[in-house]
Every structure is written in C-alpha cells, then in structure tokens.
Amino acid sequence: MTTVDLNEETIERLDALREADESYDDLVTELLNIYEASELTLFKSGGE
C-alpha cells in the first residue's frame, strides 16, 4: 500500500469533509470517484 504524507492544513480540510467514523481511505476514494465522474462527464460533453 502507498503511504502519503499530508501537511496539517490538508488533514484539517479532510477532517472537515469526513462523516462520523469515515476513514481517510474511504473519503479519498469517494473524492477520487467524484473527480473521475466529473472528468468523464466533461469528456463526453466535449469539455470547455
């Protein structure tokens, strides 16, 4: 498994997004899925 070092500001931002008992791993996976879905939507619509 890959290890990523985060600065304090990034951890605080992630903590603000986390729901009760949600792991950082789950949160990052969800954020990546959202990013990929929006990227795919832009690609299919022709992007601007």
Side-chain angles (χ1 to χ4, degrees):
M1 176 172 276
T2 303
T3 301
V4 177
D5 294 320
L6 304 172
N7 66 32
E8 190 65 32
E9 181 182 351
T10 302
I11 292 170
E12 289 172 4
R13 291 175 69 186
L14 288 172
D15 284 341
L17 294 172
R18 286 172 60 196
E19 296 182 9
D21 298 327
E22 184 177 29
S23 71
Y24 288 114
D25 202 34
D26 289 341
L27 176 60
V28 170
T29 298
E30 183 177 347
L31 291 172
L32 288 170
N33 288 339
I34 291 168
Y35 173 78
E36 289 173 349
S38 65
E39 185 178 77
L40 182 60
T41 300
L42 286 175
F43 178 74
K44 284 188 174 185
S45 67
E48 294 184 13

